[in-house]
Amino acid sequence: MEADELLVLVAAGDQKAFEDLYGLVSGPVFGLVRRVVRDPAQSEEVAQEVLLELWRSAARYDPGRGTALAWVLTLAHRRAVDRVRSARAAGERELRMARRANGPAFDQVAEEVEAGLEREWVRRCLDRLTALQRQSVTLAYYDGYTYREVAERLSLPLGTVKTRMRDGLTRLRDCLGGVA
Amino acid sequence: MTGFFRRGDLHSLAAPYALDALEPPEHKRFEKHLKRCDSCPAEVRALREDAVRLAWSTAAPAPAALRDRVLTAVRTTPQEPAPVRPEPLPRARPERSPSRGRRSPFAPFLIPLASTTAAAALVVAALFGVQASRAQDELAQERAQAREIAHVLAAPDARSTAGRDAEGQGIAVVASASRRAAVVTGSGLGTPAGERVHQLWLMRPEGKPRSLGLLAGDTPLVATGLGTNAISLAVTIEPAGGSPQPTTAPVVQLALKSVGFGE
């Protein structure tokens, strides 16, 4: 059964369906959260919150608005970003600020990741963006910086960053073959 | 911090919004703007799905202990009832503009086959080219394949897509989500050097790529048993006879979302 069908059952309280859903989404959720949050213990905590939230709020999923996986990962990303931002704001731990501004920011986890060809393909497509497009997209998405912070880090005007983000995502879409 | 945004400025926040890169006040303003803007939800949704591709590529196995904890917690955690009013996260508002989803009967991608263009034509042309050039005794087998192909082409939800890279290498696909099948034709792939072959793979969000067979020249290949979670097709170069799992990076990859798959 697919994730969207499972979510409907989960919304009706079906625990078995939740187990199946867990099997489908826990890898992508955990991988994404760890990519953004970095810290292993905190990543596990956030992933757990997200997965439990799926159980609690499955009824909110609306198939008319997008795929189940997109819904789940959007939720996971939002939670992961919230966590790094509040950690940064609290100065609770200094995230390595000087992450290489040039390279795509996905090296650290790469070896452990199992998305195989898809990852390879995304990497290739990221490589095809201009450096500024890539940095704008990855600093925001993988590192959880706001576009203002991205602008500061890259010493670019806000408008330029917004444009780079949009162009970067659009180009990524073309490269990945997401025919739109 | 946010200042005053004119409408055009707000609109330009769609990409940062899709990346979750807005600060809370801007986030709120943008979601308010979304409610008034007809073209925005579709655009935001498209950008979000691009972002999700970035997410998907980071998938990693979750620790076993996490599974135990979550499944245990679920037994005693109450669920929320269906929302009375839409929550901003992750759904901003009920969609009014045409959705990209395969579920809606009004989705713009539900194009009747009669109006689909190059990809379908390419597949059909290749099919008949093949038929004409085969010896009689091969025809029975070809006919069986032709029936399968016809079955896909005749599906009410048959749709086509094609992708080609800068070097002209690509694949064309006619697929039917309801028949769980696709007809795939390579174009411009050439013949790999040495004893190697082009192998077609089905990519899914979980689990390993599944081999759909070898692509030879422009002979159509019928891929069956495709789940709706089929994300994309990929072509790799493999040793003669093919490999159980891909051993090289794809030379071509094509998303199946526009033809009704992808979740």
Side-chain angles (χ1 to χ4, degrees), chain B residues 4 12 22 32 37 49 53 58 65 103 112-113 127 129 135 147 192 199 228 236 241:
Chain B
F4 175 74
S12 70
L22 295 179
K32 246 167 111 182
C37 164
E49 287 181 10
R53 297 295 296 271
T58 65
R103 301 277 175 205
L113 186 61
L127 166 65
R147 267 196 301 277
Q199 190 165 2
T228 49
T236 62

Side-chain angles (χ1 to χ4, degrees), chain B residues 112-138:
Chain B
L113 186 61
S115 71
T116 57
T117 49
L122 212 141
V123 171
V124 173
L127 166 65
F128 291 114
V130 167
Q131 290 290 319
S133 67
R134 285 292 192 273
Q136 194 66 29
D137 56 349
E138 287 174 52

Side-chain angles (χ1 to χ4, degrees), chain A residues 38-59:
Chain A
R38 306 296 169 81
D39 178 82
Q42 292 207 42
S43 302
E44 223 175 300
E45 218 176 282
V46 173
Q48 180 170 336
E49 283 165 20
V50 170
L51 291 160
L52 265 180
E53 188 167 351
L54 293 184
W55 164 256
R56 277 202 315 273
S57 58

Side-chain angles (χ1 to χ4, degrees), chain A residues 90-166:
Chain A
E92 173 185 312
R93 89 205 132 88
E94 190 58 21
L95 282 150
R96 280 155 295 172
M97 297 289 279
R99 292 172 41 71
R100 289 175 303 138
N102 287 321
F106 40 70
D107 293 339
Q108 283 118 333
V109 224
E111 304 81 33
E112 313 158 52
V113 169
E114 278 192 344
L117 277 181
E118 173 73 10
R119 185 182 73 249
E120 179 57 36
W121 195 252
V122 168
R123 177 194 300 262
R124 257 202 205 194
C125 287
L126 279 172
D127 281 345
R128 289 187 191 174
L129 307 186
T130 67
L132 287 182
Q133 287 171 347
R134 186 171 54 244
Q135 288 158 4
S136 301
V137 167
T138 58
L139 281 172
Y141 197 76
Y142 287 145
D143 297 327
Y145 289 107
T146 67
Y147 82 100
R148 283 173 197 282
E149 290 168 329
V150 172
E152 279 161 29
R153 296 170 65 79
L154 299 178
S155 309
L156 290 173
L158 283 178
T160 309
V161 168
K162 289 187 279 190
T163 315
R164 295 299 173 271
M165 284 177 172
R166 170 185 301 271

